PDB file of all heavy atoms in Angstrom:
ATOM      1  N   GLY X 230      24.507 158.053 -95.265  1.00 94.00           N
ATOM      2  CA  GLY X 230      23.837 158.438 -94.035  1.00 94.00           C
ATOM      3  C   GLY X 230      23.073 157.261 -93.463  1.00 94.00           C
ATOM      4  O   GLY X 230      22.514 156.450 -94.199  1.00 94.00           O
ATOM      5  N   SER X 231      23.076 157.160 -92.141  1.00 95.00           N
ATOM      6  CA  SER X 231      22.222 156.188 -91.459  1.00 95.00           C
ATOM      7  C   SER X 231      21.571 156.949 -90.313  1.00 95.00           C
ATOM      8  O   SER X 231      21.868 156.753 -89.136  1.00 95.00           O
ATOM      9  CB  SER X 231      23.036 154.995 -90.952  1.00 95.00           C
ATOM     10  OG  SER X 231      22.166 153.985 -90.467  1.00 95.00           O
ATOM     11  N   ASP X 232      20.702 157.860 -90.690  1.00 96.00           N
ATOM     12  CA  ASP X 232      20.240 158.898 -89.777  1.00 96.00           C
ATOM     13  C   ASP X 232      19.424 158.347 -88.613  1.00 96.00           C
ATOM     14  O   ASP X 232      18.544 157.498 -88.790  1.00 96.00           O
ATOM     15  CB  ASP X 232      19.408 159.928 -90.536  1.00 96.00           C
ATOM     16  CG  ASP X 232      20.258 160.726 -91.524  1.00 96.00           C
ATOM     17  OD1 ASP X 232      21.489 160.513 -91.541  1.00 96.00           O
ATOM     18  OD2 ASP X 232      19.698 161.554 -92.249  1.00 96.00           O
ATOM     19  N   ALA X 233      19.721 158.867 -87.439  1.00 98.00           N
ATOM     20  CA  ALA X 233      19.014 158.483 -86.219  1.00 98.00           C
ATOM     21  C   ALA X 233      17.734 159.299 -86.071  1.00 98.00           C
ATOM     22  O   ALA X 233      17.708 160.505 -86.314  1.00 98.00           O
ATOM     23  CB  ALA X 233      19.916 158.703 -85.008  1.00 98.00           C
ATOM     24  N   PHE X 234      16.678 158.628 -85.670  1.00 98.00           N
ATOM     25  CA  PHE X 234      15.376 159.230 -85.382  1.00 98.00           C
ATOM     26  C   PHE X 234      15.070 158.840 -83.946  1.00 98.00           C
ATOM     27  O   PHE X 234      14.673 157.700 -83.673  1.00 98.00           O
ATOM     28  CB  PHE X 234      14.342 158.685 -86.368  1.00 98.00           C
ATOM     29  CG  PHE X 234      12.980 159.323 -86.327  1.00 98.00           C
ATOM     30  CD1 PHE X 234      12.587 160.213 -87.323  1.00 98.00           C
ATOM     31  CD2 PHE X 234      12.069 159.005 -85.319  1.00 98.00           C
ATOM     32  CE1 PHE X 234      11.316 160.775 -87.323  1.00 98.00           C
ATOM     33  CE2 PHE X 234      10.803 159.568 -85.311  1.00 98.00           C
ATOM     34  CZ  PHE X 234      10.423 160.455 -86.301  1.00 98.00           C
ATOM     35  N   CYS X 261      19.778 159.998 -98.716  1.00 90.00           N
ATOM     36  CA  CYS X 261      20.791 160.007 -97.657  1.00 90.00           C
ATOM     37  C   CYS X 261      20.202 160.504 -96.346  1.00 90.00           C
ATOM     38  O   CYS X 261      20.607 160.072 -95.269  1.00 90.00           O
ATOM     39  CB  CYS X 261      21.964 160.894 -98.062  1.00 90.00           C
ATOM     40  SG  CYS X 261      22.859 160.308 -99.508  1.00 90.00           S
ATOM     41  N   ILE X 262      19.232 161.433 -96.426  1.00 90.00           N
ATOM     42  CA  ILE X 262      18.693 162.025 -95.204  1.00 90.00           C
ATOM     43  C   ILE X 262      17.398 161.363 -94.746  1.00 90.00           C
ATOM     44  O   ILE X 262      16.719 161.874 -93.860  1.00 90.00           O
ATOM     45  CB  ILE X 262      18.489 163.545 -95.349  1.00 90.00           C
ATOM     46  CG1 ILE X 262      17.531 163.873 -96.507  1.00 90.00           C
ATOM     47  CG2 ILE X 262      19.809 164.253 -95.510  1.00 90.00           C
ATOM     48  CD1 ILE X 262      17.134 165.334 -96.557  1.00 90.00           C
ATOM     49  N   ARG X 266      17.600 154.689 -88.636  1.00 98.00           N
ATOM     50  CA  ARG X 266      17.705 154.026 -87.336  1.00 98.00           C
ATOM     51  C   ARG X 266      16.723 154.713 -86.375  1.00 98.00           C
ATOM     52  O   ARG X 266      16.949 155.849 -85.973  1.00 98.00           O
ATOM     53  CB  ARG X 266      19.134 154.117 -86.798  1.00 98.00           C
ATOM     54  CG  ARG X 266      20.164 153.381 -87.649  1.00 98.00           C
ATOM     55  CD  ARG X 266      21.563 153.548 -87.069  1.00 98.00           C
ATOM     56  NE  ARG X 266      21.993 154.931 -87.092  1.00 98.00           N
ATOM     57  CZ  ARG X 266      22.666 155.533 -86.115  1.00 98.00           C
ATOM     58  NH1 ARG X 266      22.959 154.868 -85.003  1.00 98.00           N
ATOM     59  NH2 ARG X 266      23.034 156.794 -86.224  1.00 98.00           N
ATOM     60  N   GLY X 382      27.323 160.556 -89.942  1.00 98.00           N
ATOM     61  CA  GLY X 382      26.825 161.679 -89.149  1.00 98.00           C
ATOM     62  C   GLY X 382      26.228 162.752 -90.037  1.00 98.00           C
ATOM     63  O   GLY X 382      26.682 163.898 -90.022  1.00 98.00           O
ATOM     64  N   LEU X 383      25.216 162.373 -90.824  1.00 97.00           N
ATOM     65  CA  LEU X 383      24.626 163.344 -91.737  1.00 97.00           C
ATOM     66  C   LEU X 383      23.539 164.164 -91.046  1.00 97.00           C
ATOM     67  O   LEU X 383      23.663 165.377 -90.870  1.00 97.00           O
ATOM     68  CB  LEU X 383      24.058 162.643 -92.975  1.00 97.00           C
ATOM     69  CG  LEU X 383      23.573 163.566 -94.103  1.00 97.00           C
ATOM     70  CD1 LEU X 383      24.660 164.509 -94.561  1.00 97.00           C
ATOM     71  CD2 LEU X 383      23.051 162.741 -95.275  1.00 97.00           C
ATOM     72  N   ALA X 384      22.454 163.527 -90.648  1.00 97.00           N
ATOM     73  CA  ALA X 384      21.364 164.255 -90.005  1.00 97.00           C
ATOM     74  C   ALA X 384      20.688 163.366 -88.973  1.00 97.00           C
ATOM     75  O   ALA X 384      20.776 162.141 -89.033  1.00 97.00           O
ATOM     76  CB  ALA X 384      20.342 164.720 -91.042  1.00 97.00           C
ATOM     77  N   SER X 385      20.012 163.997 -88.032  1.00 98.00           N
ATOM     78  CA  SER X 385      19.276 163.269 -87.003  1.00 98.00           C
ATOM     79  C   SER X 385      17.984 164.001 -86.684  1.00 98.00           C
ATOM     80  O   SER X 385      17.877 165.215 -86.906  1.00 98.00           O
ATOM     81  CB  SER X 385      20.106 163.136 -85.719  1.00 98.00           C
ATOM     82  OG  SER X 385      21.219 162.299 -85.901  1.00 98.00           O
ATOM     83  N   ALA X 386      17.027 163.266 -86.146  1.00 98.00           N
ATOM     84  CA  ALA X 386      15.789 163.863 -85.653  1.00 98.00           C
ATOM     85  C   ALA X 386      15.630 163.487 -84.186  1.00 98.00           C
ATOM     86  O   ALA X 386      15.995 162.385 -83.772  1.00 98.00           O
ATOM     87  CB  ALA X 386      14.590 163.362 -86.459  1.00 98.00           C
ATOM     88  N   ILE X 402      24.301 165.447 -80.036  1.00 98.00           N
ATOM     89  CA  ILE X 402      24.186 164.507 -81.152  1.00 98.00           C
ATOM     90  C   ILE X 402      25.255 164.795 -82.204  1.00 98.00           C
ATOM     91  O   ILE X 402      25.426 165.947 -82.632  1.00 98.00           O
ATOM     92  CB  ILE X 402      22.784 164.588 -81.782  1.00 98.00           C
ATOM     93  CG1 ILE X 402      21.731 164.139 -80.759  1.00 98.00           C
ATOM     94  CG2 ILE X 402      22.701 163.724 -83.042  1.00 98.00           C
ATOM     95  CD1 ILE X 402      20.307 164.353 -81.225  1.00 98.00           C
ATOM     96  N   ALA X 404      26.131 164.943 -85.550  1.00 98.00           N
ATOM     97  CA  ALA X 404      25.576 164.985 -86.903  1.00 98.00           C
ATOM     98  C   ALA X 404      25.715 166.403 -87.435  1.00 98.00           C
ATOM     99  O   ALA X 404      25.851 167.363 -86.667  1.00 98.00           O
ATOM    100  CB  ALA X 404      24.108 164.567 -86.905  1.00 98.00           C
ATOM    101  N   GLY X 405      25.667 166.524 -88.745  1.00 98.00           N
ATOM    102  CA  GLY X 405      25.738 167.849 -89.356  1.00 98.00           C
ATOM    103  C   GLY X 405      24.455 168.627 -89.223  1.00 98.00           C
ATOM    104  O   GLY X 405      24.441 169.860 -89.343  1.00 98.00           O
ATOM    105  N   ASN X 406      23.348 167.911 -88.971  1.00 97.00           N
ATOM    106  CA  ASN X 406      22.037 168.547 -88.876  1.00 97.00           C
ATOM    107  C   ASN X 406      21.204 167.801 -87.854  1.00 97.00           C
ATOM    108  O   ASN X 406      21.206 166.563 -87.830  1.00 97.00           O
ATOM    109  CB  ASN X 406      21.295 168.489 -90.226  1.00 97.00           C
ATOM    110  CG  ASN X 406      22.179 168.857 -91.404  1.00 97.00           C
ATOM    111  OD1 ASN X 406      22.228 169.991 -91.811  1.00 97.00           O
ATOM    112  ND2 ASN X 406      22.911 167.874 -91.951  1.00 97.00           N
ATOM    113  N   VAL X 407      20.485 168.533 -87.011  1.00 98.00           N
ATOM    114  CA  VAL X 407      19.553 167.927 -86.062  1.00 98.00           C
ATOM    115  C   VAL X 407      18.223 168.672 -86.155  1.00 98.00           C
ATOM    116  O   VAL X 407      18.182 169.896 -86.020  1.00 98.00           O
ATOM    117  CB  VAL X 407      20.083 167.972 -84.614  1.00 98.00           C
ATOM    118  CG1 VAL X 407      19.064 167.330 -83.670  1.00 98.00           C
ATOM    119  CG2 VAL X 407      21.428 167.260 -84.496  1.00 98.00           C
ATOM    120  N   PHE X 408      17.151 167.936 -86.397  1.00 98.00           N
ATOM    121  CA  PHE X 408      15.809 168.507 -86.481  1.00 98.00           C
ATOM    122  C   PHE X 408      14.996 168.004 -85.294  1.00 98.00           C
ATOM    123  O   PHE X 408      14.938 166.793 -85.057  1.00 98.00           O
ATOM    124  CB  PHE X 408      15.127 168.086 -87.789  1.00 98.00           C
ATOM    125  CG  PHE X 408      15.625 168.811 -89.015  1.00 98.00           C
ATOM    126  CD1 PHE X 408      16.948 168.700 -89.425  1.00 98.00           C
ATOM    127  CD2 PHE X 408      14.757 169.587 -89.762  1.00 98.00           C
ATOM    128  CE1 PHE X 408      17.402 169.365 -90.551  1.00 98.00           C
ATOM    129  CE2 PHE X 408      15.202 170.255 -90.895  1.00 98.00           C
ATOM    130  CZ  PHE X 408      16.521 170.149 -91.295  1.00 98.00           C
ATOM    131  N   VAL X 413      13.344 165.750 -91.275  1.00 96.00           N
ATOM    132  CA  VAL X 413      14.650 166.210 -91.769  1.00 96.00           C
ATOM    133  C   VAL X 413      14.528 166.498 -93.263  1.00 96.00           C
ATOM    134  O   VAL X 413      14.063 165.657 -94.032  1.00 96.00           O
ATOM    135  CB  VAL X 413      15.737 165.152 -91.514  1.00 96.00           C
ATOM    136  CG1 VAL X 413      17.052 165.585 -92.152  1.00 96.00           C
ATOM    137  CG2 VAL X 413      15.933 164.931 -90.014  1.00 96.00           C
ATOM    138  N   PHE X 421      23.646 172.808 -95.203  1.00 97.00           N
ATOM    139  CA  PHE X 421      23.398 171.372 -95.073  1.00 97.00           C
ATOM    140  C   PHE X 421      24.654 170.595 -95.408  1.00 97.00           C
ATOM    141  O   PHE X 421      25.325 170.873 -96.402  1.00 97.00           O
ATOM    142  CB  PHE X 421      22.257 170.943 -96.008  1.00 97.00           C
ATOM    143  CG  PHE X 421      21.856 169.514 -95.828  1.00 97.00           C
ATOM    144  CD1 PHE X 421      20.891 169.174 -94.889  1.00 97.00           C
ATOM    145  CD2 PHE X 421      22.456 168.502 -96.564  1.00 97.00           C
ATOM    146  CE1 PHE X 421      20.529 167.839 -94.693  1.00 97.00           C
ATOM    147  CE2 PHE X 421      22.099 167.181 -96.375  1.00 97.00           C
ATOM    148  CZ  PHE X 421      21.135 166.849 -95.441  1.00 97.00           C
ATOM    149  N   GLY X 422      24.970 169.584 -94.580  1.00 97.00           N
ATOM    150  CA  GLY X 422      26.119 168.729 -94.846  1.00 97.00           C
ATOM    151  C   GLY X 422      26.358 167.814 -93.664  1.00 97.00           C
ATOM    152  O   GLY X 422      25.655 167.872 -92.658  1.00 97.00           O
ATOM    153  N   GLY X 423      27.380 166.960 -93.776  1.00 97.00           N
ATOM    154  CA  GLY X 423      27.607 165.948 -92.760  1.00 97.00           C
ATOM    155  C   GLY X 423      28.980 165.993 -92.140  1.00 97.00           C
ATOM    156  O   GLY X 423      29.835 166.811 -92.504  1.00 97.00           O
ATOM    157  N   SER X 427      30.103 160.730 -93.386  1.00 98.00           N
ATOM    158  CA  SER X 427      29.053 161.331 -94.214  1.00 98.00           C
ATOM    159  C   SER X 427      29.564 162.514 -95.021  1.00 98.00           C
ATOM    160  O   SER X 427      28.801 163.111 -95.783  1.00 98.00           O
ATOM    161  CB  SER X 427      27.883 161.788 -93.327  1.00 98.00           C
ATOM    162  OG  SER X 427      27.175 160.677 -92.821  1.00 98.00           O
TER     163      SER X 427
END
Side-chain angles (χ1 to χ4, degrees):
S231 188
D232 293 356
F234 187 105
C261 296
I262 59 171
R266 296 179 296 140
L383 188 56
S385 292
I402 296 173
N406 315 267
V407 180
F408 285 62
V413 174
F421 186 88
S427 289

